[in-house]
Amino acid sequence: QVQLGESGGGLVQPGSSLRLSCAASGSTSRTYAMGWFRQAPGKEREFVAAINLSGSSLYYADSVKGRFTLSRDNSKSTVYLQMNSLKPEDTAVYYCAARYSGAYYESRSYVYWGQGTQVTVSS
């Protein structure tokens, strides 16, 4: 089994930056495609970003393109989400997830999920 743990969330002002980290533990000998999703109060969980096994292919939701950057360090079994120019609309619980295959933008493709980290953007 694989356990995922997110960190790096917090309360920031609009225009600020945060870097979220997702560290994998347990059976980490296999490399997974990874994704980030978020869920705001009263809203459905939505796709944010995804990365393939090697890190050569990146995918972003239109709402975060140009502001968020996803990367991975397989030697550390960790993926990162650099979030710049944060907006109040980015306020949500952010979840890291891992998948074997399937569409990167579909939550049903992911088999392992972290517990989430809260990001609040407010003045």
Side-chain angles (χ1 to χ4, degrees):
Q1 295 295 95
V2 174
Q3 295 79 46
L4 303 177
E6 305 97 334
S7 63
L11 172 63
V12 298
Q13 295 184 340
S16 298
S17 297
L18 283 173
R19 189 178 77 159
L20 305 184
S21 298
C22 175
S25 61
S27 301
T28 59
S29 60
R30 176 173 178 174
T31 304
Y32 300 87
M34 304 295 295
W36 285 93
F37 290 77
R38 66 186 183 186
Q39 187 166 22
K43 299 180 64 178
E44 295 183 354
R45 184 164 55 190
E46 65 175 350
F47 167 75
V48 176
I51 190 168
N52 69 346
L53 276 66
S54 67
S56 61
S57 296
L58 302 171
Y59 310 93
Y60 300 97
D62 289 340
S63 60
V64 305
K65 284 182 179 178
R67 300 188 298 119
F68 290 11
T69 303
L70 184 61
S71 62
R72 69 186 302 161
D73 185 344
N74 288 342
S75 67
K76 299 179 179 179
S77 299
T78 303
V79 296
Y80 306 94
L81 184 66
Q82 178 67 45
M83 306 186 296
N84 298 326
S85 302
L86 284 164
K87 305 175 181 179
E89 302 94 292
D90 296 318
T91 296
V93 176
Y94 284 71
Y95 297 93
C96 176
R99 72 179 194 275
Y100 297 107
S101 61
Y104 64 85
Y105 52 85
E106 293 278 1
S107 61
R108 64 185 179 184
S109 298
Y110 295 82
V111 296
Y112 298 111
W113 292 82
Q115 295 302 305
T117 184
Q118 177 71 50
V119 173
T120 303
V121 185
S122 179
S123 60

